[in-house]
Amino acid sequence: MAALKGLDSNSIFLGNGSDEAIDLLIRIFCEPAEDNVVAISPTYGMYRVCADINNVEYRPAPLNNDFSLNPENIRRAVDRQTKILFICSPNNPTSNSFSQEEILAISGELDLITVVDEAYIDFSERESLSNALSEHTGLVILQTFSKAWGLAGIRLGMALADPGIISLLRKVKYPYNLNMLTQQFALETLSDNSKKEKWVEEILKNRARLELKMKMYRFVEEVYPSDANFILVKVQKPKKVYNFLVGKKIIVRDRSNVELLDGCLRITVGSKEENSALTEALWKYQMDFVETCDL
Ligand SMILES: *Cc1c(COP(=O)(O)O)cnc(C)c1O
Protein backbone atom coordinates (compact mmCIF):
# COMPACT_ATOMS: atom_id res chain seq x y z
CA MET A 1 0.00 0.00 0.00
CA ALA A 2 2.84 2.34 0.85
CA ALA A 3 4.34 1.90 -2.59
CA LEU A 4 0.98 2.42 -4.23
CA LYS A 5 0.24 5.58 -2.27
CA GLY A 6 3.76 6.97 -2.35
CA LEU A 7 3.74 7.24 1.43
CA ASP A 8 5.71 5.76 4.27
CA SER A 9 3.99 2.71 5.79
CA ASN A 10 3.79 4.46 9.16
CA SER A 11 1.46 7.00 7.53
CA ILE A 12 -1.06 4.32 6.62
CA PHE A 13 -3.68 2.62 8.77
CA LEU A 14 -5.59 -0.31 7.28
CA GLY A 15 -9.02 -1.01 8.68
CA ASN A 16 -12.05 -3.23 8.40
CA GLY A 17 -13.50 -0.83 5.83
CA SER A 18 -12.88 2.88 6.15
CA ASP A 19 -15.91 2.80 8.45
CA GLU A 20 -13.63 1.31 11.13
CA ALA A 21 -11.36 4.35 10.87
CA ILE A 22 -14.33 6.71 11.26
CA ASP A 23 -15.36 4.99 14.49
CA LEU A 24 -11.79 4.83 15.84
CA LEU A 25 -11.13 8.50 15.09
CA ILE A 26 -14.20 9.52 17.08
CA ARG A 27 -13.22 7.24 19.95
CA ILE A 28 -9.66 8.55 19.97
CA PHE A 29 -10.31 12.28 19.71
CA CYS A 30 -13.69 12.78 21.38
CA GLU A 31 -14.72 12.54 25.02
CA PRO A 32 -18.27 11.10 25.17
CA ALA A 33 -20.96 13.53 26.35
CA GLU A 34 -18.47 16.41 26.21
CA ASP A 35 -17.03 16.80 22.74
CA ASN A 36 -18.68 17.16 19.36
CA VAL A 37 -17.90 16.61 15.70
CA VAL A 38 -18.93 18.77 12.76
CA ALA A 39 -19.69 17.49 9.27
CA ILE A 40 -20.84 19.13 6.07
CA SER A 41 -24.49 18.39 5.34
CA PRO A 42 -25.87 16.50 3.55
CA THR A 43 -23.19 13.84 3.59
CA TYR A 44 -22.33 10.19 4.23
CA GLY A 45 -24.41 8.75 7.08
CA MET A 46 -21.75 6.83 9.02
CA TYR A 47 -20.20 9.92 10.64
CA ARG A 48 -23.45 10.52 12.47
CA VAL A 49 -23.96 6.82 13.26
CA CYS A 50 -20.48 6.54 14.79
CA ALA A 51 -20.86 9.80 16.71
CA ASP A 52 -24.24 8.68 18.10
CA ILE A 53 -22.94 5.27 19.14
CA ASN A 54 -20.05 6.92 20.96
CA ASN A 55 -22.34 9.46 22.64
CA VAL A 56 -20.61 12.32 20.84
CA GLU A 57 -22.69 15.24 19.62
CA TYR A 58 -22.99 15.47 15.84
CA ARG A 59 -23.34 18.91 14.27
CA PRO A 60 -24.26 19.24 10.61
CA ALA A 61 -22.97 22.33 8.77
CA PRO A 62 -25.15 22.84 5.68
CA LEU A 63 -23.60 23.23 2.26
CA ASN A 64 -24.87 26.00 0.00
CA ASN A 65 -27.88 25.27 -2.21
CA ASP A 66 -25.54 24.49 -5.11
CA PHE A 67 -23.69 22.01 -2.82
CA SER A 68 -20.58 24.20 -2.59
CA LEU A 69 -18.74 24.46 0.73
CA ASN A 70 -20.06 27.07 3.15
CA PRO A 71 -17.16 27.97 5.49
CA GLU A 72 -19.36 30.32 7.51
CA ASN A 73 -21.73 27.48 8.42
CA ILE A 74 -18.76 25.34 9.47
CA ARG A 75 -17.30 28.15 11.62
CA ARG A 76 -20.68 28.67 13.24
CA ALA A 77 -21.03 24.98 14.13
CA VAL A 78 -17.54 24.71 15.64
CA ASP A 79 -16.82 25.53 19.27
CA ARG A 80 -14.13 24.63 21.80
CA GLN A 81 -15.52 21.12 22.21
CA THR A 82 -15.38 20.36 18.50
CA LYS A 83 -12.65 17.82 17.83
CA ILE A 84 -13.23 16.58 14.29
CA LEU A 85 -14.46 18.13 11.05
CA PHE A 86 -15.66 15.65 8.41
CA ILE A 87 -15.49 16.71 4.77
CA CYS A 88 -16.43 14.08 2.23
CA SER A 89 -14.99 14.91 -1.22
CA PRO A 90 -16.33 13.84 -3.68
CA ASN A 91 -19.34 14.08 -1.43
CA ASN A 92 -21.90 11.35 -0.98
CA PRO A 93 -24.75 11.94 -1.89
CA THR A 94 -24.32 15.33 -3.66
CA SER A 95 -21.67 13.86 -6.03
CA ASN A 96 -19.60 17.06 -6.28
CA SER A 97 -16.12 17.59 -4.86
CA PHE A 98 -14.34 20.51 -3.23
CA SER A 99 -11.03 22.03 -4.23
CA GLN A 100 -7.91 21.33 -2.17
CA GLU A 101 -7.55 25.07 -1.55
CA GLU A 102 -11.05 25.34 -0.08
CA ILE A 103 -10.61 22.31 2.17
CA LEU A 104 -7.16 23.33 3.39
CA ALA A 105 -8.28 26.92 3.96
CA ILE A 106 -11.06 25.96 6.33
CA SER A 107 -9.10 23.19 8.05
CA GLY A 108 -6.06 25.46 8.45
CA GLU A 109 -8.17 28.09 10.09
CA LEU A 110 -9.68 25.71 12.68
CA ASP A 111 -7.67 23.83 15.29
CA LEU A 112 -9.23 20.43 14.62
CA ILE A 113 -8.65 17.04 13.13
CA THR A 114 -9.95 17.35 9.58
CA VAL A 115 -11.06 14.07 8.06
CA VAL A 116 -11.30 14.20 4.29
CA ASP A 117 -13.19 11.16 3.06
CA GLU A 118 -11.99 10.27 -0.43
CA ALA A 119 -14.05 7.10 -0.95
CA TYR A 120 -14.85 8.30 -4.51
CA ILE A 121 -11.57 10.02 -5.39
CA ASP A 122 -10.82 7.62 -8.26
CA PHE A 123 -13.87 8.87 -10.15
CA SER A 124 -12.84 12.51 -9.83
CA GLU A 125 -10.54 14.68 -11.91
CA ARG A 126 -9.15 16.08 -8.71
CA GLU A 127 -6.02 14.73 -7.08
CA SER A 128 -6.01 13.14 -3.65
CA LEU A 129 -5.15 15.45 -0.78
CA SER A 130 -2.59 12.84 0.32
CA ASN A 131 0.12 15.06 -1.16
CA ALA A 132 -0.72 17.66 1.50
CA LEU A 133 -0.29 15.30 4.47
CA SER A 134 3.32 16.20 5.25
CA GLU A 135 2.44 19.86 5.77
CA HIS A 136 -0.87 19.33 7.56
CA THR A 137 -0.45 17.17 10.65
CA GLY A 138 -4.13 17.37 11.61
CA LEU A 139 -5.31 16.02 8.28
CA VAL A 140 -6.67 12.47 7.94
CA ILE A 141 -7.59 11.08 4.53
CA LEU A 142 -9.90 8.10 4.19
CA GLN A 143 -9.85 5.84 1.16
CA THR A 144 -11.45 2.47 0.52
CA PHE A 145 -11.42 -0.62 -1.65
CA SER A 146 -15.21 -0.64 -1.62
CA LYS A 147 -15.82 1.68 -4.58
CA ALA A 148 -13.33 1.94 -7.44
CA TRP A 149 -11.89 -1.51 -6.71
CA GLY A 150 -15.36 -3.00 -6.41
CA LEU A 151 -14.35 -4.91 -3.28
CA ALA A 152 -16.82 -3.76 -0.63
CA GLY A 153 -17.21 -7.40 0.46
CA ILE A 154 -13.62 -7.85 1.60
CA ARG A 155 -13.97 -4.90 4.06
CA LEU A 156 -10.73 -3.02 3.51
CA GLY A 157 -10.30 0.69 3.93
CA MET A 158 -7.56 3.00 5.06
CA ALA A 159 -6.65 6.18 6.79
CA LEU A 160 -3.67 8.19 5.59
CA ALA A 161 -2.26 10.64 8.13
CA ASP A 162 0.67 11.85 10.17
CA PRO A 163 2.45 8.91 11.90
CA GLY A 164 1.35 10.30 15.27
CA ILE A 165 -2.31 9.82 14.36
CA ILE A 166 -1.67 6.47 12.69
CA SER A 167 0.01 5.11 15.82
CA LEU A 168 -3.08 6.09 17.85
CA LEU A 169 -5.36 4.26 15.40
CA ARG A 170 -3.15 1.19 15.68
CA LYS A 171 -3.27 1.27 19.47
CA VAL A 172 -7.05 1.39 19.61
CA LYS A 173 -7.96 -1.07 16.84
CA TYR A 174 -8.59 -4.73 17.62
CA PRO A 175 -5.32 -6.66 17.35
CA TYR A 176 -6.35 -8.65 14.28
CA ASN A 177 -8.78 -6.30 12.58
CA LEU A 178 -7.84 -7.47 9.09
CA ASN A 179 -8.39 -11.16 8.50
CA MET A 180 -5.98 -13.21 6.44
CA LEU A 181 -8.40 -13.86 3.58
CA THR A 182 -8.87 -10.12 3.07
CA GLN A 183 -5.14 -9.54 3.15
CA GLN A 184 -4.44 -12.29 0.63
CA PHE A 185 -7.21 -11.17 -1.68
CA ALA A 186 -6.12 -7.54 -1.48
CA LEU A 187 -2.50 -8.40 -2.23
CA GLU A 188 -3.51 -10.41 -5.28
CA THR A 189 -5.78 -7.67 -6.56
CA LEU A 190 -3.30 -4.90 -5.87
CA SER A 191 -0.68 -6.61 -7.96
CA ASP A 192 -2.64 -5.47 -11.00
CA ASN A 193 -3.54 -1.81 -10.74
CA SER A 194 -4.53 -1.72 -14.41
CA LYS A 195 -7.72 -3.68 -13.65
CA LYS A 196 -9.01 -0.96 -11.38
CA GLU A 197 -8.12 1.67 -13.92
CA LYS A 198 -10.11 -0.19 -16.58
CA TRP A 199 -13.14 -0.45 -14.30
CA VAL A 200 -12.95 3.23 -13.48
CA GLU A 201 -12.68 4.15 -17.14
CA GLU A 202 -15.72 1.99 -17.87
CA ILE A 203 -17.74 3.59 -15.06
CA LEU A 204 -16.81 7.09 -16.24
CA LYS A 205 -17.97 6.27 -19.77
CA ASN A 206 -21.19 4.76 -18.47
CA ARG A 207 -21.70 7.75 -16.18
CA ALA A 208 -21.47 10.17 -19.10
CA ARG A 209 -23.99 8.10 -21.09
CA LEU A 210 -26.36 7.81 -18.16
CA GLU A 211 -26.19 11.56 -17.50
CA LEU A 212 -27.13 12.28 -21.11
CA LYS A 213 -30.01 9.83 -21.07
CA MET A 214 -31.39 11.03 -17.75
CA LYS A 215 -31.67 14.55 -19.15
CA MET A 216 -34.14 13.32 -21.78
CA TYR A 217 -37.00 12.40 -19.46
CA ARG A 218 -39.78 14.91 -18.92
CA PHE A 219 -40.02 14.14 -15.21
CA VAL A 220 -36.29 14.75 -14.64
CA GLU A 221 -35.72 18.33 -13.54
CA GLU A 222 -31.99 18.29 -12.99
CA VAL A 223 -28.99 16.01 -13.39
CA TYR A 224 -26.22 17.25 -11.11
CA PRO A 225 -22.60 17.07 -12.28
CA SER A 226 -20.88 14.04 -10.77
CA ASP A 227 -17.36 13.37 -9.56
CA ALA A 228 -18.36 9.95 -8.22
CA ASN A 229 -19.66 6.54 -9.37
CA PHE A 230 -23.26 7.67 -8.89
CA ILE A 231 -25.38 10.51 -10.14
CA LEU A 232 -27.86 12.67 -8.29
CA VAL A 233 -31.01 13.56 -10.20
CA LYS A 234 -33.93 15.76 -9.24
CA VAL A 235 -37.26 14.36 -10.41
CA GLN A 236 -40.95 15.06 -10.09
CA LYS A 237 -42.65 12.69 -7.66
CA PRO A 238 -39.46 10.96 -6.46
CA LYS A 239 -41.28 8.38 -4.34
CA LYS A 240 -43.39 7.33 -7.29
CA VAL A 241 -40.31 6.90 -9.49
CA TYR A 242 -38.55 5.05 -6.70
CA ASN A 243 -41.44 2.64 -6.12
CA PHE A 244 -41.88 2.04 -9.82
CA LEU A 245 -38.21 1.07 -10.09
CA VAL A 246 -38.43 -1.20 -7.05
CA GLY A 247 -41.28 -2.96 -8.87
CA LYS A 248 -38.82 -3.56 -11.72
CA LYS A 249 -36.24 -4.88 -9.25
CA ILE A 250 -34.06 -1.79 -9.67
CA ILE A 251 -32.89 -0.18 -6.46
CA VAL A 252 -31.85 3.46 -6.37
CA ARG A 253 -31.52 5.63 -3.25
CA ASP A 254 -34.40 7.90 -2.40
CA ARG A 255 -32.73 10.99 -0.93
CA SER A 256 -35.74 13.26 -1.39
CA ASN A 257 -36.31 13.71 2.36
CA VAL A 258 -32.76 14.95 2.95
CA GLU A 259 -32.01 18.65 3.54
CA LEU A 260 -31.19 20.44 0.22
CA LEU A 261 -32.13 17.31 -1.74
CA ASP A 262 -35.80 17.89 -2.46
CA GLY A 263 -36.93 15.48 -5.19
CA CYS A 264 -33.52 13.82 -5.46
CA LEU A 265 -32.71 10.21 -6.24
CA ARG A 266 -29.16 8.88 -6.04
CA ILE A 267 -28.42 6.41 -8.80
CA THR A 268 -25.33 4.23 -8.80
CA VAL A 269 -23.70 3.95 -12.23
CA GLY A 270 -23.81 0.30 -13.21
CA SER A 271 -22.67 -1.83 -16.10
CA LYS A 272 -23.96 -1.03 -19.56
CA GLU A 273 -26.65 -3.70 -19.15
CA GLU A 274 -27.73 -2.46 -15.74
CA ASN A 275 -27.93 1.12 -16.98
CA SER A 276 -30.00 0.03 -19.99
CA ALA A 277 -32.40 -1.81 -17.70
CA LEU A 278 -32.77 1.42 -15.73
CA THR A 279 -33.25 3.73 -18.69
CA GLU A 280 -35.74 1.35 -20.31
CA ALA A 281 -37.72 1.09 -17.10
CA LEU A 282 -37.82 4.88 -16.91
CA TRP A 283 -39.16 5.16 -20.48
CA LYS A 284 -41.84 2.72 -19.47
CA TYR A 285 -42.59 4.85 -16.41
CA GLN A 286 -42.87 7.95 -18.57
CA MET A 287 -45.17 6.24 -21.10
CA ASP A 288 -47.43 4.79 -18.38
CA PHE A 289 -47.96 8.13 -16.78
CA VAL A 290 -48.22 10.15 -19.95
CA GLU A 291 -51.26 8.01 -20.71
CA THR A 292 -52.82 8.74 -17.36
CA CYS A 293 -51.59 12.37 -17.41
CA ASP A 294 -50.05 11.79 -14.02
CA LEU A 295 -46.35 12.33 -14.39
C1 LIG B 1 -18.84 3.69 0.87
C2 LIG B 1 -18.28 4.80 1.67
C3 LIG B 1 -17.37 4.61 2.70
C4 LIG B 1 -17.02 3.30 3.25
O1 LIG B 1 -16.67 2.37 3.00
P1 LIG B 1 -16.06 1.04 3.59
O2 LIG B 1 -16.74 0.01 2.82
O3 LIG B 1 -16.33 1.02 5.05
O4 LIG B 1 -14.60 1.18 3.30
C5 LIG B 1 -16.81 5.67 3.35
N1 LIG B 1 -17.15 6.91 3.01
C6 LIG B 1 -18.02 7.16 2.04
C7 LIG B 1 -18.33 8.54 1.69
C8 LIG B 1 -18.63 6.12 1.34
O5 LIG B 1 -19.53 6.39 0.40
Short mmCIF file of all heavy atoms in Angstrom, two decimals, residues 16-20 22 44 47 88 92 117 119-120 143-147 152 155-157, ligand 1:
data_model
loop_
_atom_site.label_atom_id
_atom_site.label_comp_id
_atom_site.label_asym_id
_atom_site.label_seq_id
_atom_site.Cartn_x
_atom_site.Cartn_y
_atom_site.Cartn_z
N ASN A 16 -10.95 -2.39 8.84
CA ASN A 16 -12.05 -3.23 8.40
C ASN A 16 -13.09 -2.31 7.73
O ASN A 16 -14.10 -1.95 8.30
CB ASN A 16 -12.63 -3.93 9.63
CG ASN A 16 -13.66 -4.97 9.28
OD1 ASN A 16 -14.35 -4.87 8.27
ND2 ASN A 16 -13.78 -5.97 10.11
N GLY A 17 -12.75 -1.89 6.50
CA GLY A 17 -13.50 -0.83 5.83
C GLY A 17 -13.04 0.51 6.37
O GLY A 17 -12.46 0.58 7.47
N SER A 18 -13.25 1.58 5.60
CA SER A 18 -12.88 2.88 6.15
C SER A 18 -13.84 3.26 7.27
O SER A 18 -13.55 4.13 8.09
CB SER A 18 -12.80 3.96 5.08
OG SER A 18 -13.90 3.94 4.23
N ASP A 19 -14.98 2.58 7.34
CA ASP A 19 -15.91 2.80 8.45
C ASP A 19 -15.25 2.54 9.80
O ASP A 19 -15.55 3.19 10.79
CB ASP A 19 -17.15 1.91 8.31
CG ASP A 19 -18.08 2.38 7.19
OD1 ASP A 19 -17.89 3.51 6.70
OD2 ASP A 19 -18.99 1.62 6.81
N GLU A 20 -14.32 1.57 9.85
CA GLU A 20 -13.63 1.31 11.13
C GLU A 20 -12.83 2.54 11.54
O GLU A 20 -12.82 2.94 12.70
CB GLU A 20 -12.70 0.09 11.04
CG GLU A 20 -12.04 -0.18 12.39
CD GLU A 20 -11.01 -1.31 12.41
OE1 GLU A 20 -10.66 -1.85 11.34
OE2 GLU A 20 -10.56 -1.65 13.53
N ILE A 22 -13.43 5.64 10.81
CA ILE A 22 -14.33 6.71 11.26
C ILE A 22 -14.66 6.52 12.75
O ILE A 22 -14.56 7.44 13.55
CB ILE A 22 -15.64 6.71 10.41
CG1 ILE A 22 -15.32 7.07 8.95
CG2 ILE A 22 -16.67 7.69 11.00
CD1 ILE A 22 -16.47 6.82 7.98
N TYR A 44 -22.34 11.62 3.91
CA TYR A 44 -22.33 10.19 4.23
C TYR A 44 -22.86 9.94 5.65
O TYR A 44 -22.47 10.64 6.59
CB TYR A 44 -20.90 9.68 4.09
CG TYR A 44 -20.68 8.22 4.31
CD1 TYR A 44 -21.44 7.27 3.62
CD2 TYR A 44 -19.69 7.77 5.18
CE1 TYR A 44 -21.22 5.92 3.82
CE2 TYR A 44 -19.45 6.42 5.36
CZ TYR A 44 -20.22 5.50 4.69
OH TYR A 44 -20.00 4.17 4.87
N TYR A 47 -20.81 9.02 9.64
CA TYR A 47 -20.20 9.92 10.64
C TYR A 47 -21.18 10.13 11.79
O TYR A 47 -20.81 10.10 12.95
CB TYR A 47 -19.83 11.28 10.01
CG TYR A 47 -19.16 11.21 8.66
CD1 TYR A 47 -19.53 12.05 7.62
CD2 TYR A 47 -18.15 10.29 8.42
CE1 TYR A 47 -18.93 11.99 6.38
CE2 TYR A 47 -17.54 10.22 7.18
CZ TYR A 47 -17.94 11.07 6.16
OH TYR A 47 -17.35 10.99 4.93
N CYS A 88 -16.44 15.19 3.18
CA CYS A 88 -16.43 14.08 2.23
C CYS A 88 -16.28 14.69 0.83
O CYS A 88 -17.09 15.52 0.43
CB CYS A 88 -17.75 13.32 2.36
SG CYS A 88 -17.87 11.85 1.37
N ASN A 92 -20.75 12.23 -0.90
CA ASN A 92 -21.90 11.35 -0.98
C ASN A 92 -22.99 11.99 -0.11
O ASN A 92 -22.72 12.23 1.06
CB ASN A 92 -21.48 9.97 -0.42
CG ASN A 92 -22.60 8.98 -0.36
OD1 ASN A 92 -23.72 9.25 -0.77
ND2 ASN A 92 -22.31 7.80 0.16
N ASP A 117 -12.80 12.50 3.50
CA ASP A 117 -13.19 11.16 3.06
C ASP A 117 -13.15 11.10 1.53
O ASP A 117 -13.96 11.73 0.85
CB ASP A 117 -14.60 10.85 3.59
CG ASP A 117 -15.01 9.40 3.36
OD1 ASP A 117 -14.42 8.73 2.49
OD2 ASP A 117 -15.93 8.94 4.07
N ALA A 119 -13.56 8.40 -0.48
CA ALA A 119 -14.05 7.10 -0.95
C ALA A 119 -14.23 7.08 -2.48
O ALA A 119 -14.07 6.04 -3.12
CB ALA A 119 -15.37 6.76 -0.26
N TYR A 120 -14.55 8.25 -3.06
CA TYR A 120 -14.85 8.30 -4.51
C TYR A 120 -13.79 9.01 -5.31
O TYR A 120 -14.03 9.39 -6.46
CB TYR A 120 -16.21 8.99 -4.71
CG TYR A 120 -17.34 8.27 -4.02
CD1 TYR A 120 -17.79 8.68 -2.77
CD2 TYR A 120 -17.92 7.15 -4.61
CE1 TYR A 120 -18.80 8.01 -2.12
CE2 TYR A 120 -18.94 6.46 -3.96
CZ TYR A 120 -19.37 6.90 -2.73
OH TYR A 120 -20.37 6.22 -2.08
N GLN A 143 -9.62 6.45 2.49
CA GLN A 143 -9.85 5.84 1.16
C GLN A 143 -10.32 4.40 1.39
O GLN A 143 -10.19 3.87 2.48
CB GLN A 143 -8.57 5.88 0.32
CG GLN A 143 -8.16 7.30 -0.03
CD GLN A 143 -6.97 7.37 -0.97
OE1 GLN A 143 -6.35 6.36 -1.29
NE2 GLN A 143 -6.63 8.58 -1.39
N THR A 144 -10.84 3.79 0.34
CA THR A 144 -11.45 2.47 0.52
C THR A 144 -11.31 1.61 -0.73
O THR A 144 -11.15 2.14 -1.83
CB THR A 144 -12.94 2.61 0.89
OG1 THR A 144 -13.51 1.31 1.02
CG2 THR A 144 -13.72 3.37 -0.17
N PHE A 145 -11.38 0.30 -0.51
CA PHE A 145 -11.42 -0.62 -1.65
C PHE A 145 -12.85 -0.93 -2.08
O PHE A 145 -13.08 -1.71 -2.98
CB PHE A 145 -10.70 -1.93 -1.28
CG PHE A 145 -9.23 -1.74 -1.28
CD1 PHE A 145 -8.58 -1.23 -0.17
CD2 PHE A 145 -8.48 -2.02 -2.41
CE1 PHE A 145 -7.23 -1.00 -0.17
CE2 PHE A 145 -7.13 -1.81 -2.43
CZ PHE A 145 -6.49 -1.29 -1.32
N SER A 146 -13.80 -0.29 -1.40
CA SER A 146 -15.21 -0.64 -1.62
C SER A 146 -15.80 -0.03 -2.89
O SER A 146 -16.86 -0.46 -3.32
CB SER A 146 -16.05 -0.19 -0.43
OG SER A 146 -15.64 -0.87 0.73
N LYS A 147 -15.18 0.98 -3.47
CA LYS A 147 -15.82 1.68 -4.58
C LYS A 147 -15.08 1.40 -5.90
O LYS A 147 -15.47 0.52 -6.64
CB LYS A 147 -15.93 3.17 -4.27
CG LYS A 147 -16.58 3.46 -2.91
CD LYS A 147 -18.08 3.15 -2.88
CE LYS A 147 -18.63 2.83 -1.51
NZ LYS A 147 -18.69 3.92 -0.55
N ALA A 152 -16.19 -4.10 -1.91
CA ALA A 152 -16.82 -3.76 -0.63
C ALA A 152 -16.90 -4.99 0.29
O ALA A 152 -16.81 -4.87 1.50
CB ALA A 152 -18.22 -3.18 -0.85
N ARG A 155 -14.09 -5.82 2.92
CA ARG A 155 -13.97 -4.90 4.06
C ARG A 155 -12.53 -4.44 4.24
O ARG A 155 -11.83 -4.88 5.14
CB ARG A 155 -14.49 -5.52 5.37
CG ARG A 155 -15.89 -6.10 5.33
CD ARG A 155 -16.92 -5.13 4.80
NE ARG A 155 -16.99 -3.90 5.55
CZ ARG A 155 -17.03 -2.68 4.98
NH1 ARG A 155 -17.01 -2.55 3.67
NH2 ARG A 155 -17.09 -1.60 5.71
N LEU A 156 -12.08 -3.58 3.37
CA LEU A 156 -10.73 -3.02 3.51
C LEU A 156 -10.75 -1.54 3.16
O LEU A 156 -11.13 -1.14 2.06
CB LEU A 156 -9.76 -3.77 2.58
CG LEU A 156 -8.29 -3.33 2.65
CD1 LEU A 156 -7.72 -3.49 4.05
CD2 LEU A 156 -7.45 -4.14 1.65
N GLY A 157 -10.38 -0.74 4.14
CA GLY A 157 -10.30 0.69 3.93
C GLY A 157 -9.07 1.22 4.61
O GLY A 157 -8.36 0.48 5.30
C1 LIG B 1 -18.84 3.69 0.87
C2 LIG B 1 -18.28 4.80 1.67
C3 LIG B 1 -17.37 4.61 2.70
C4 LIG B 1 -17.02 3.30 3.25
O1 LIG B 1 -16.67 2.37 3.00
P1 LIG B 1 -16.06 1.04 3.59
O2 LIG B 1 -16.74 0.01 2.82
O3 LIG B 1 -16.33 1.02 5.05
O4 LIG B 1 -14.60 1.18 3.30
C5 LIG B 1 -16.81 5.67 3.35
N1 LIG B 1 -17.15 6.91 3.01
C6 LIG B 1 -18.02 7.16 2.04
C7 LIG B 1 -18.33 8.54 1.69
C8 LIG B 1 -18.63 6.12 1.34
O5 LIG B 1 -19.53 6.39 0.40
#
